[in-house]
């Protein structure tokens, strides 16, 4: 499973991880969960959350100094995705370049992949 973080995205995610540190946090497993969930006008939406509790079936990779967790349901929809962080006057945030996408919403916040139903079922 390949998720690629650009240098800017990795830098920004490292800052989020440092900012969320607490005494109870297990820093050895603290990382970013990247997921695909049902939603938006095209069926799927991306999600990013901080976690220190990986699930047993997570696909785990290391991007620079950031641990990346992806659940097995989202993994096929995220294969080959490149995540960047852009800053602009009108729009700033994480941008996903996903080779699996066949259609996107006009707002760019949701996507469709192949003939998948909007239930998070990976394309075959």
């Amino acid at each position: 499973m390949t998720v690629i973080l650009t240098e800017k995205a990795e830098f920004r995610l490292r800052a989020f991880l440092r900012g969320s540190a607490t005494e109870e946090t297990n820093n050895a497993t603290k990382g970013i969960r990247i997921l695909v969930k049902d939603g938006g006008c095209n069926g799927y939406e991306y999600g990013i959350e901080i976690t220190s509790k990986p699930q047993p079936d997570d696909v785990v990779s290391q991007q620079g100094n950031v641990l990346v967790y992806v659940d097995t349901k989202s993994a096929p929809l995220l294969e080959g995705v490149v995540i960047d962080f852009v800053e602009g006057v009108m729009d700033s945030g994480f941008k996903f370049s996903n080779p699996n996408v066949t259609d996107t919403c006009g707002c760019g916040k949701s996507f469709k992949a192949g003939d998948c139903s909007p239930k998070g079922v990976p394309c075959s």
Side-chain angles (χ1 to χ4, degrees):
M1 212 286 304
T2 306
V3 171
I4 300 166
L5 301 176
T6 66
E7 189 175 327
K8 286 181 185 179
E10 189 223 340
F11 177 79
R12 186 60 73 153
L13 290 168
R14 273 195 331 244
F16 286 141
L17 289 169
R18 274 193 310 271
S20 68
T22 63
E23 290 181 24
E24 298 86 35
T25 302
N26 181 354
N27 286 328
T29 60
K30 191 168 187 182
I32 302 298
R33 177 173 306 286
I34 301 171
L35 57 114
V36 172
K37 55 187 174 183
D38 296 346
C41 51
N42 269 341
Y44 298 123
E45 289 181 318
Y46 298 108
I48 298 178
E49 31 185 71
I50 295 172
T51 186
S52 57
K53 297 178 182 169
Q55 300 302 312
D57 63 342
D58 278 347
V59 178
V60 183
S61 65
Q62 179 110 16
Q63 294 285 314
N65 292 319
V66 176
L67 278 173
V68 177
Y69 299 104
V70 178
D71 65 274
T72 55
K73 184 178 170 183
S74 298
L77 296 168
L78 292 171
E79 181 66 40
V81 73
V82 176
I83 303 172
D84 193 10
F85 188 84
V86 296
E87 294 184 72
V89 175
M90 298 297 290
D91 194 19
S92 296
F94 291 100
K95 300 292 180 189
F96 292 75
S97 297
N98 190 338
N100 305 301
V101 169
T102 58
D103 195 14
T104 59
C105 184
C107 67
K109 303 294 182 193
S110 69
F111 69 97
K112 183 177 177 182
D115 294 328
C116 303
S117 66
K119 298 194 189 274
V121 178
C123 297
S124 305

